[in-house]
Amino acid sequence: MSRQTVTFCLVFQVGMLVLVNHATPQDIVINESMASNSSTIADEDGDYEDWIELYNPGSETVDLTGWGLSDNEAQPFRWVFPPVTIDPGAYLLVWASGKNRAILGSPLHTSFSISASGEEVLLTNAIGVRVDEVILPPLPCDLSYGRLPDGEEAWYYFDQPTPGASNATIGYTEILAPPTFSAEGGWSPGDLTLTLSANHPSALILYTLDGSEPHPDAIGGGLEYLVNYFYPGEWVESVNLPRQNQTFVCDGPIFISDRSQEANDLSDIITTYRNAPTIWWNRPTSLIQKATVVRARAWPLTDTILPSQTKTATYLISPDGPSRYTLPVISVVSDANHLLGYEDGVYVEGKGYFDGGGSETAYVYTGNYWSNWEVPIHLELYEDDGSPGLSQNLGMRIHGGGSRSRPMKAFRLYARSEYDPSNLMHYRFFPEETYQPGGALDTYKRILVRLGGNLMNLITDAAVHRIMEPGRADVQKSRPVVHFVNGEYWGAANIRDRQDEYYLAYKYGIDPENIVLLDAPWGLGSSSMVEVGEPDDILLYRELYTFVVGNDMSDPANYAHVQTMIDFQSYIDYNVMFIYLNNIDWYGHKHFRYWRVRETSELPYQDGRWRMMVWDFDSSPRTADFDFLLNFIHPEGGGNGWNSGNPERTALLRNLLENPDFRNLFLNRFADHINSTFRPERISQIVQGVFDVLQPELSEHFTRWGYSGGSQSHVDSWINFANQRPAYQRQHIREHFDISGDIALTVDVSDPQHGHVRVNTIDITPETPGIPEATYPWTGIYFENIPVTVTAV
């Protein structure tokens, strides 16, 4: 039975959305609008923003001073025009960007944007009379909705928009709805028969099984692209072989069964090159699990209707159902040429490698995956019980530094209106986690899928971030999954937070436009370190740095001023995490960010103080040498000379340590963490727990990649580190700060029901990570002659 079958589809006629208020010839009208602008027209900043076009069909010039535009009927003057006129027969383009610019003689920008999922747009004159109103339908990317002819009552869709000019291109009366699938994607214990249907008499259904977007030009084979094949260890010349995306016309049921005994396909394409290729083996050593990906769209049989968006579903067939894997499953689907094609594939070395002089024996850093290309994908997530989760069109980019050259690639997922009208991912990726002010975080703009960085270890970084959660430096959440690419098993991975302005916005309730985010600044920094914000925002950091290094920090007044500029606990925790966990890939200029708001307020986290983010602890811990002095307190810039010669990287910390209050806070906060956050039993439990969750999937992961992703021996070395590191770290601290010894501080309470004790920055309760359930009496180790604050709560 062939899976290359099709059904002609019938669809219910969808009525065309029309103007609510009919315009008179003397009125200014809303003539055309776009709610998802990806490439149609850029504003003066180079941004592709939503836009609204006004048109004057009358015979007189109209003064728009004081007129209002809005997307809310209850607030007709959400944005007000400056003194501007519009001549007879003229067009006025207003950007619906949210930038709120109303300057005469400059491009106009409203204070709101337009939802691609559809909403109203209203035009109100200066005396409060509604002049025009249109209810925009859902608009796919780069399609506009406008009048044809200009100023008349009939509205059409345009795939060739004309912002600021006459609507003279072809107008379409409707957009087809995507086909209906008789079975939702996900797990099935056996074969199934899938029926596709449409709801329109003038439509047929096109579908694909190779992950590509259905298109008439690819029926029977088309859209040819090249894939480079090179087999490590065989020392043969690589060759470019043609492949084709293939579209089928649906004329009957599609029969879906387990494809795992079929030959491997995309997984046989090599995704890296090295001088010793057998070391970088990344083809499966046997047949791998496979799924069936069906992508379908309704295609019009008349030239007045636009085709539908593509619907995607992944079908996983196994008699074990969702218990086939112990983890959730994510399915990444895209045209294979976007992922693995020689010209455009972001997952391979490709043309960029060979154009840069690379070969099988000469490695260069010019491959496709070193680019920052973004490609469209569809993502599905199925929970470990088989229940469907997120299903959404997103953008994807390869993520990381040196890890891009590894066979397994980390990637970022981007929610944008050009892919999906929601413009966000509404899903609880980390259901057990809560955020300020105590609710679950279920809104994301970007997400990472990581595969262990350079070392391709799935355990370490995920475990370290869980260890560091009690700190005041922002860390990344983690959730292990199994993932498929275009229906082929691609191994285990970790879903992670993407730390950016949207992460901060949704976690702390901050306007993302008000966030300044700096990537690893040190010394005076540079504008290139401004990751989010304006180039001049580096001056906000320089203000902190120059004040600290240029003034006497032992002066209480100077110290008090610095406290208004940086969150000391967040800054101390950032240093403590890198030092204690022996992250040898830090160097004082990597894997941390400073963030703050630009415009301050009384709201939490909006005081204008710098706070810290940390990430990428794949190189932790240095378990082979517990006495390795990774300690950035040293004036030469690094411990044991491994990073000497960069004193600016440590100047901020060293100057702050001149103040006795900061010195005591630093040492006590460090000791607090050793006594709780880094308690050996806690670290051992976390690392073992991360491994235990992944362990059932690592054998199959090894079959796919030739790398295990982690092992019990690695966990055992972690446990050894957890047990030995406290003594070495205390020794380093005593030596550097000339402290004569340690003290054992024991606290007790007469009745735990009456309260608890706080020691420095930690509450001695079972709720504090690292504090045992049988809490009292509690003993912690601190440093002699360093005052400890004990509070009865």
Side-chain angles (χ1 to χ4, degrees):
M1 293 179 291
S2 171
R3 291 190 303 275
Q4 304 175 7
T5 48
V6 181
T7 310
F8 281 94
C9 320
L10 302 178
V11 185
F12 300 113
Q13 180 79 29
V14 179
M16 184 172 63
L17 293 168
V18 296
L19 189 68
V20 175
N21 261 6
H22 298 293
T24 65
Q26 295 82 11
D27 289 332
I28 302 300
V29 298
I30 300 168
N31 199 53
E32 189 179 7
S33 184
M34 177 175 285
S36 179
N37 176 15
S38 171
S39 59
T40 299
I41 185 174
D43 68 8
E44 70 274 20
D45 300 326
D47 299 327
Y48 290 86
E49 304 287 2
D50 305 345
W51 48 267
I52 301 165
E53 177 194 87
L54 302 185
Y55 171 63
N56 182 357
S59 57
E60 298 179 0
T61 297
V62 176
D63 184 357
L64 299 179
T65 304
W67 286 42
L69 272 174
S70 178
D71 62 347
N72 186 335
E73 188 172 3
Q75 297 177 275
F77 292 94
R78 282 200 68 185
W79 181 81
V80 178
F81 282 88
V84 62
T85 59
I86 181 168
D87 293 332
Y91 305 86
L92 178 64
L93 188 68
V94 180
W95 297 99
S97 64
K99 296 179 180 180
N100 195 21
R101 298 173 185 172
I103 303 172
L104 184 63
S106 298
L108 303 176
H109 290 258
T110 67
S111 56
F112 59 89
S113 57
I114 307 170
S115 172
S117 59
E119 69 175 333
E120 60 188 356
V121 177
L122 306 97
L123 178 66
T124 305
N125 68 20
I127 61 174
V129 176
R130 186 173 303 166
V131 174
D132 199 8
E133 175 185 3
V134 61
I135 300 176
L136 296 175
L139 287 173
C141 182
D142 287 322
L143 289 186
S144 68
Y145 192 60
R147 300 172 184 269
L148 188 66
D150 294 328
E152 298 298 325
E153 294 188 5
W155 285 77
Y156 294 85
Y157 299 93
F158 297 96
D159 62 359
Q160 299 178 57
T162 54
S166 175
N167 298 340
T169 58
I170 297 173
Y172 298 89
T173 58
E174 61 182 299
I175 303 173
L176 292 176
T180 299
F181 287 30
S182 63
E184 296 300 318
W187 288 101
S188 174
D191 298 351
L192 60 87
T193 300
L194 178 67
T195 301
L196 309 181
S197 57
N199 301 313
H200 199 287
S202 297
L204 54 80
I205 296 176
L206 305 181
Y207 76 96
T208 65
L209 300 170
D210 58 11
S212 63
E213 291 270 0
H215 195 279
D217 291 347
I219 295 174
L223 302 178
E224 185 173 279
Y225 61 97
L226 296 176
V227 168
N228 185 266
Y229 287 87
F230 166 67
Y231 300 102
E234 299 175 14
W235 297 100
V236 297
E237 290 294 325
S238 63
V239 293
N240 288 325
L241 299 179
R243 292 173 62 102
Q244 289 184 325
N245 294 332
Q246 190 164 17
T247 293
F248 305 103
V249 180
C250 183
D251 59 5
I254 301 172
F255 300 101
I256 297 174
S257 59
D258 184 4
R259 299 176 46 245
S260 299
Q261 295 306 306
E262 295 180 8
N264 299 333
D265 184 21
L266 299 181
S267 54
D268 268 347
I269 298 171
I270 302 304
T271 54
T272 188
Y273 290 86
R274 279 289 186 179
N275 292 350
T278 54
I279 297 175
W280 298 93
W281 184 267
N282 70 313
R283 297 168 66 207
T285 56
S286 62
L287 295 177
I288 59 175
Q289 181 73 31
K290 300 176 182 69
T292 297
V293 174
V294 179
R295 310 194 79 182
R297 66 193 302 195
W299 200 269
L301 297 174
T302 67
D303 57 8
T304 60
I305 301 174
L306 288 168
S308 77
Q309 297 294 293
T310 298
K311 182 172 181 176
T312 305
T314 301
Y315 297 92
L316 300 128
I317 309 298
S318 171
D320 298 325
S323 61
R324 169 68 177 79
Y325 295 109
T326 60
L327 300 175
V329 172
I330 61 172
S331 172
V332 176
V333 179
S334 183
D335 285 21
N337 51 296
H338 291 325
L339 303 176
L340 298 156
Y342 178 72
E343 297 273 352
D344 304 317
V346 298
Y347 213 90
V348 295
E349 289 281 9
K351 187 174 186 293
Y353 180 77
F354 291 99
D355 285 353
S359 69
E360 286 75 20
T361 57
Y363 188 78
V364 295
Y365 290 86
T366 59
N368 292 4
Y369 52 59
W370 291 106
S371 69
N372 202 31
W373 300 339
E374 184 170 321
V375 298
I377 64 107
H378 184 86
L379 181 78
E380 296 164 81
L381 186 151
Y382 297 98
E383 294 289 352
D384 51 10
D385 63 359
S387 59
L390 185 73
S391 179
Q392 189 167 333
N393 292 326
L394 303 167
M396 186 189 92
R397 296 183 187 181
I398 300 300
H399 172 81
S403 63
R404 290 169 179 257
S405 66
R406 299 302 190 255
M408 298 178 286
K409 314 292 185 201
F411 50 89
R412 307 175 200 168
L413 298 174
Y414 292 78
R416 304 187 194 278
S417 59
E418 64 196 78
Y419 305 121
D420 188 278
S422 71
N423 200 30
L424 294 168
M425 288 175 269
H426 295 288
Y427 195 70
R428 290 187 64 181
F429 287 103
F430 313 105
E432 76 283 2
E433 304 299 344
T434 58
Y435 291 81
Q436 302 290 339
L441 184 62
D442 60 0
T443 303
Y444 295 87
K445 185 73 172 174
R446 298 166 184 165
I447 280 289
L448 287 181
V449 178
R450 284 193 93 239
L451 291 100
N454 265 333
L455 302 177
M456 294 179 286
N457 182 294
L458 296 168
I459 300 171
T460 294
D461 195 59
V464 168
H465 282 259
R466 293 189 187 185
I467 292 167
M468 298 188 304
E469 280 182 352
R472 292 260 296 259
D474 279 290
V475 297
Q476 292 175 299
K477 300 298 185 291
S478 177
R479 190 180 188 193
V481 295
V482 165
H483 73 304
F484 284 69
V485 172
N486 280 5
E488 290 193 50
Y489 172 80
W490 222 253
N494 284 306
I495 296 177
R496 308 295 297 273
D497 287 312
R498 165 64 178 163
Q499 293 175 320
D500 55 21
E501 70 272 32
Y502 300 105
Y503 164 90
L504 295 169
Y506 299 124
K507 180 175 179 178
Y508 297 118
I510 302 172
D511 179 1
E513 298 293 329
N514 192 31
I515 290 172
V516 177
L517 191 62
L518 309 182
D519 183 12
W522 56 276
L524 289 173
S526 69
S527 59
S528 65
M529 296 173 175
V530 180
E531 190 169 294
V532 176
E534 302 297 330
D536 284 349
D537 286 335
I538 193 64
L539 300 177
L540 299 172
Y541 163 79
R542 287 178 182 169
E543 181 183 0
L544 166 69
Y545 181 83
T546 56
F547 187 85
V548 171
V549 300
N551 291 279
D552 180 6
M553 286 298 102
S554 65
D555 184 326
N558 289 338
Y559 181 67
H561 180 64
V562 177
Q563 285 181 295
T564 68
M565 305 172 77
I566 188 169
D567 183 319
F568 279 157
Q569 279 199 31
S570 182
Y571 180 70
I572 289 171
D573 286 354
Y574 141 70
N575 282 279
V576 167
M577 300 305 177
F578 277 100
I579 293 170
Y580 187 88
L581 293 167
N582 251 353
N583 190 338
I584 63 171
D585 194 27
W586 178 25
Y587 310 113
H589 69 98
K590 293 174 66 178
H591 305 151
F592 65 94
R593 293 183 178 96
Y594 282 67
W595 72 270
R596 55 162 285 179
V597 295
R598 185 182 296 102
E599 303 295 331
T600 63
S601 74
E602 298 298 319
L603 295 173
Y605 301 96
Q606 301 193 42
D607 53 14
R609 292 192 296 166
W610 289 107
R611 293 176 171 87
M612 310 299 294
M613 289 178 169
V614 297
W615 78 95
D616 196 345
F617 280 72
D618 291 303
S619 296
S620 299
R622 189 183 175 89
T623 56
D625 185 359
F626 297 103
D627 199 33
F628 184 83
L629 187 58
L630 178 58
N631 195 328
F632 265 58
I633 299 169
H634 288 272
E636 68 269 20
N640 287 2
W642 63 273
N643 191 38
S644 60
N646 291 290
E648 296 89 352
R649 295 181 184 177
T650 63
L652 199 63
L653 177 59
R654 288 186 287 107
N655 279 270
L656 286 171
L657 286 168
E658 294 176 358
N659 183 278
D661 289 340
F662 183 87
R663 180 174 179 268
N664 291 342
L665 177 61
F666 179 86
L667 293 173
N668 279 325
R669 182 65 171 169
F670 213 139
D672 286 345
H673 277 305
I674 297 175
N675 290 324
S676 58
T677 304
F678 302 136
R679 190 178 178 91
E681 295 85 351
R682 179 173 183 266
I683 290 181
S684 300
Q685 183 180 35
I686 288 174
V687 178
Q688 185 69 59
V690 169
F691 174 72
D692 288 347
V693 171
L694 278 164
Q695 190 274 333
E697 308 304 336
L698 294 183
S699 175
E700 191 169 355
H701 180 87
F702 184 86
T703 298
R704 170 63 184 90
W705 292 109
Y707 296 89
S708 66
S711 65
Q712 185 60 52
S713 63
H714 180 72
V715 174
D716 292 341
S717 69
W718 251 106
I719 294 173
N720 189 32
F721 172 86
N723 290 329
Q724 295 197 45
R725 183 61 172 164
Y728 282 108
Q729 184 65 76
R730 291 184 178 111
Q731 176 189 343
H732 295 166
I733 290 173
R734 290 194 306 268
E735 290 174 353
H736 180 80
F737 290 96
D738 195 23
I739 297 173
S740 57
D742 299 333
I743 60 170
L745 171 69
T746 299
V747 294
D748 203 353
V749 296
S750 57
D751 187 342
Q753 300 300 315
H754 294 168
H756 65 274
V757 176
R758 179 178 300 130
V759 177
N760 296 318
T761 63
I762 56 172
D763 289 305
I764 310 305
T765 70
E767 289 73 34
T768 298
I771 303 299
E773 188 69 29
T775 307
Y776 291 101
W778 178 85
T779 298
I781 298 176
Y782 290 88
F783 300 108
E784 281 190 355
N785 300 318
I786 303 301
V788 173
T789 302
V790 180
T791 307
V793 182

